[in-house]
């Protein structure tokens, strides 16, 4: 059997399939782990989210042997982890508004956009890290950061370091989408430490195995997962209406996006 878990802002969902693709069981539970500290911060408890996902996995194991587990989830947000792979901060979600606070006659997000050459909005992980860097609030023992999907993956298998898929990395910002890597030159302009940025993968890399022997694969962005799960054909337009809504078109290679559009890494070397 195969298990998929989606970590949304308001709910956490799972679907268990047999080897013929038939649905064996589903589960939808509310994500009630918001933390309120200031008006601008939009935080969630990363460890409680991970614990809920692990409990869902354990429940699904009662239906039989789960060969593999895939994860998708809310993009843009980040959680800091230490060298043991443990969260040392809350999840700063995509709704975090600290980037809109004033900084040097503009805002943190706009200043970061100006110096990096990348369009960075508040809630992007790189903006959250930049705010913490300027205000000296990056946890002292932070080894790296990752999305909540990446964090759940390493908690399921007991890994010490996340592997971030390019679909999630692009949502963090300061990412070279054309070449599918961190834009080190842009990062250097911000003075952010390059060593803090996580390791990347362009493929569905396996993060590890659970104690029960399930192969857990790196998380991918929720937009990309919604497209991949909706069609087997590339020449298809996918309209997804949720908290954020997109019209997505798979393409085989990088193209400069038209005005009012953006291009995102997809899977198997393709783009949306």
């Amino acid at each position: 059997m195969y298990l998929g878990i989606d970590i949304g802002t308001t709910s956490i969902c799972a679907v268990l399939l047999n080897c013929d693709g038939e649905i064996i069981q589903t589960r939808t539970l509310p994500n009630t782990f918001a933390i309120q500290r200031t008006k601008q911060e939009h935080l969630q408890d990363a460890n409680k989210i991970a614990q809920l996902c692990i409990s869902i996995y354990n429940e699904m194991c009662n239906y039989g042997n789960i060969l593999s587990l895939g994860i998708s989830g809310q993009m843009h947000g980040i959680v800091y982890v230490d060298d043991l792979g443990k969260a040392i901060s809350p999840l700063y979600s995509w709704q975090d508004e600290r980037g809109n606070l004033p900084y040097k006659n503009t805002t943190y997000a706009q200043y970061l956009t100006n110096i990096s050459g990348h369009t960075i909005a508040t809630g992007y992980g790189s903006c959250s890290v930049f705010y913490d860097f300027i205000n000296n609030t990056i946890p002292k023992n932070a080894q790296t950061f990752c999305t909540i999907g990446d964090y759940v993956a390493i908690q399921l298998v007991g890994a010490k370091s996340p592997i971030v898929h390019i679909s999630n990395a692009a949502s963090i910002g300061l990412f070279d989408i054309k070449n599918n890597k961190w834009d080190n030159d842009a990062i250097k302009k911000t003075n952010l430490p390059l060593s803090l940025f996580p390791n990347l993968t362009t493929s569905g890399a396996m993060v590890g195995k659970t104690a029960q022997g399930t192969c857990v694969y790196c998380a991918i962005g929720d937009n990309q997962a919604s497209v991949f799960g909706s069609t087997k054909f590339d020449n298809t337009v996918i309209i997804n209406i949720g908290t954020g809504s997109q019209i997505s078109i798979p393409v085989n290679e990088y193209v400069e996006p038209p005005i009012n559009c953006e291009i995102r890494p997809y899977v198997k070397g393709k783009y949306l």
Side-chain angles (χ1 to χ4, degrees):
M1 293 188 294
Y2 306 96
L3 178 62
I5 295 178
D6 178 70
I7 307 163
T9 310
T10 57
S11 62
I12 296 173
C13 310
V15 59
L16 182 67
L17 306 176
N18 65 18
C19 294
D20 295 321
E22 299 168 333
I23 295 175
I24 302 301
Q25 185 59 269
T26 64
R27 187 70 70 238
T28 300
L29 297 170
N31 185 345
T32 59
F33 305 123
I35 302 170
Q36 190 67 44
R37 294 196 307 202
T38 69
K39 182 179 179 180
Q40 290 78 26
E41 290 178 316
H42 286 259
L43 314 175
Q44 293 181 328
D45 190 315
N47 282 318
K48 288 183 178 178
I49 291 173
Q51 289 165 10
L52 180 57
C53 292
I54 291 171
S55 70
I56 291 172
Y57 166 72
N58 289 332
E59 176 192 348
M60 294 298 184
C61 284
N62 293 326
Y63 294 91
N65 181 40
I66 299 175
L67 297 175
S68 64
L69 191 160
I71 300 171
S72 68
Q74 51 175 296
M75 300 189 292
H76 305 298
I78 57 107
V79 55
Y80 295 101
V81 298
D82 63 16
D83 58 357
L84 297 177
K86 299 301 181 183
I88 50 176
S89 77
L91 166 65
Y92 290 88
S93 83
W94 61 276
Q95 296 174 311
D96 192 61
E97 296 181 356
R98 294 178 302 160
N100 285 336
L101 291 171
Y103 180 68
K104 289 192 174 182
N105 298 318
T106 181
T107 65
Y108 286 90
Q110 188 58 54
Y111 182 84
L112 186 57
T113 295
N114 294 342
I115 64 172
S116 70
H118 290 258
T119 300
I120 305 294
T122 188
Y124 279 32
S126 58
C127 187
S128 298
V129 173
F130 182 70
Y131 177 92
D132 287 333
F133 178 75
I134 295 298
N135 291 280
N136 198 30
T137 51
I138 294 177
K140 298 301 182 184
N141 53 338
Q143 188 73 15
T144 187
F145 57 82
C146 61
T147 71
I148 186 60
D150 305 311
Y151 183 64
V152 168
I154 62 176
Q155 295 311 296
L156 279 160
V157 303
K160 294 182 179 180
S161 182
I163 304 173
V164 177
H165 188 264
I166 53 175
S167 60
N168 274 324
S171 75
I172 291 170
L174 301 180
F175 182 80
D176 179 353
I177 295 178
K178 186 175 182 178
N179 296 299
N180 286 325
K181 63 180 184 178
W182 296 118
D183 188 341
N184 288 347
D185 290 337
I187 294 171
K188 288 176 183 177
K189 292 176 183 177
T190 70
N191 292 321
L192 292 173
L194 285 169
S195 60
L196 195 62
F197 285 72
N199 294 324
L200 302 180
T201 179
T202 59
S203 64
M206 189 173 76
V207 179
K209 291 185 177 183
T210 67
Q212 296 89 333
T214 301
C215 298
V216 177
Y217 292 87
C218 66
I220 65 173
D222 53 4
N223 174 218
Q224 289 85 349
S226 71
V227 174
F228 187 70
S230 297
T231 179
K232 297 179 181 178
F233 308 105
D234 286 344
N235 57 341
T236 303
V237 175
I238 303 297
I239 301 174
N240 181 43
I241 300 174
T243 307
S245 302
Q246 306 93 18
I247 299 174
S248 302
I249 305 171
V251 293
N252 290 324
E253 58 187 11
Y254 179 87
V255 294
E256 289 295 330
I259 296 174
N260 296 326
C261 296
E262 64 177 292
I263 190 163
R264 296 177 175 180
Y266 187 37
V267 295
K268 298 182 179 179
K270 298 179 180 181
Y271 292 86
L272 293 180

